[in-house]
Amino acid sequence: MAAAAVGALLKARNGRVRDAKPARELPAPVTAALDPASAVTLVQISTTFCAPCRHAKAVLGPLAERTDGLHHVELDVTNQPEVAQSLAVLRTPTTIALTPDGRELLRVGGVPKGPELLAALRPYLTSRTP
């Protein structure tokens, strides 16, 4: 019974857009992944054997390709657990939306839902001047 309740809770939280974590210094691999030419960089934290990570990439890659000002990069932390730890990432995939200067806008645990993510990012994508 408890397992079913936990499973239902995890399923409900999967892909939900959440508020940003408090500001922190970004690890070097994340800073290097930021695209200064894009209003928002989606940094997908993944691991090698994570099946949902492939699904997240299939959602985020095309979303970024067809959205002006949006960039997607996948960061495999299998051999860099300190990167995930410094970002307070507890599960993969986790997607973190960052500004060019590294400010966290929001994060999504699990496979993102494209329309919800795009709606949450819209204010940041339209406010940037060329």
Side-chain angles (χ1 to χ4, degrees), residues 8-57:
L9 177 64
L10 289 175
K11 185 176 180 182
R13 294 184 66 192
N14 189 44
R16 187 176 54 138
V17 175
R18 296 177 292 158
D19 292 333
K21 295 279 186 181
R24 71 184 90 237
E25 186 174 337
L26 294 176
V30 176
T31 303
L34 295 176
D35 181 6
S38 296
V40 177
T41 298
L42 297 174
V43 178
Q44 177 187 332
I45 306 298
S46 298
T47 52
T48 303
F49 299 106
C50 167
C53 294
R54 290 188 284 280
H55 295 290
K57 184 177 181 178

